[in-house]
Amino acid sequence: KTLAKAESMCVANQNDCVYLIGGTASAALSESLTWDKDYTHLFGICSPVPLSQRARISHSANFSPMITVSASGCWFDNLCFLYGRGGADNHILMTVSGDHNVFSRISFHNNMHQTEADDADTICVNFSGAQEDAFYNCTFGAETIERGAANTILEFDASSGRLLFKDCMFKSMTDDTSPIAVRVNAGGLIGENIFDGCLFLNYIENWD
């Protein structure tokens, strides 16, 4: 009863749905998961709180990315992704290369350990050729561990664009001036990327 097994049993282009039941434990991935079946959806069954939903996905080994969404036309809703466990190989929480996907009420919490928070190669969500995806009421990053390197919350690669971020929060806590919220690499953008009603929040190390 693993998330990888559930995804493998779905059939592309049939609008199959996977339901992750929330609880006290997370669904821990033992290796990188590729969500590669078009029109296949993943829903968290838990209270729809705006942050740290209890339908959680984490990892029990060190690898990058934790999840790749290469499929198109998928819907992800009411989930929390947790990435970072003290491994030097843990760099990217999620890579999105598919098109026309919707992410709603998702918490993308990376840098959950100081090792990843101090690694310049750490990225919360990387876009690689993704186009016309939308993010509604999502949270990117976390303020529990201090970021101390030029790592990134969102990174755009390989002609990604026409993305919508609506009512999203971008959160971090830093003890250095180098961390980056949004980074665009050469050739990384096409068309418009809209941040509508979004908040970019950064706490200094003695914020409390």
Side-chain angles (χ1 to χ4, degrees), residues 194-206:
I194 298 174
F195 294 82
D196 183 7
C198 296
L199 291 174
F200 289 81
L201 306 174
N202 180 59
Y203 302 90
I204 59 174
E205 59 178 319
N206 61 343

Side-chain angles (χ1 to χ4, degrees), residues 70-188:
S70 59
S72 297
C74 303
W75 182 12
F76 303 86
D77 181 63
N78 203 31
L79 300 161
C80 178
F81 297 101
L82 299 168
Y83 189 56
R85 57 190 301 275
D89 296 328
N90 299 329
H91 298 307
I92 303 173
L93 188 161
M94 180 180 288
T95 291
V96 181
S97 58
D99 307 327
H100 312 120
N101 297 302
V102 166
F103 300 81
S104 55
R105 301 182 299 180
I106 305 291
S107 293
F108 298 93
H109 291 329
N110 71 325
N111 290 326
M112 301 305 294
H113 190 280
Q114 198 65 59
T115 298
E116 289 84 357
D118 288 338
D119 188 341
D121 292 327
T122 297
I123 302 169
C124 186
V125 179
N126 171 253
F127 297 100
S128 180
Q131 298 183 32
E132 299 179 354
D133 297 314
F135 296 80
Y136 299 101
N137 299 105
C138 294
T139 299
F140 299 85
E143 78 281 13
T144 53
I145 304 293
E146 298 165 356
R147 295 169 63 195
N151 46 46
T152 312
I153 298 178
L154 299 184
E155 184 152 331
F156 293 88
D157 271 328
S159 300
S160 297
R162 304 186 188 97
L163 306 180
L164 171 65
F165 300 87
K166 172 69 173 174
D167 297 327
C168 295
M169 285 196 300
F170 300 82
K171 304 181 72 175
S172 62
M173 178 168 62
T174 62
D175 60 0
D176 192 86
T177 60
S178 60
I180 300 166
V182 179
R183 175 160 48 199
V184 179
N185 295 320

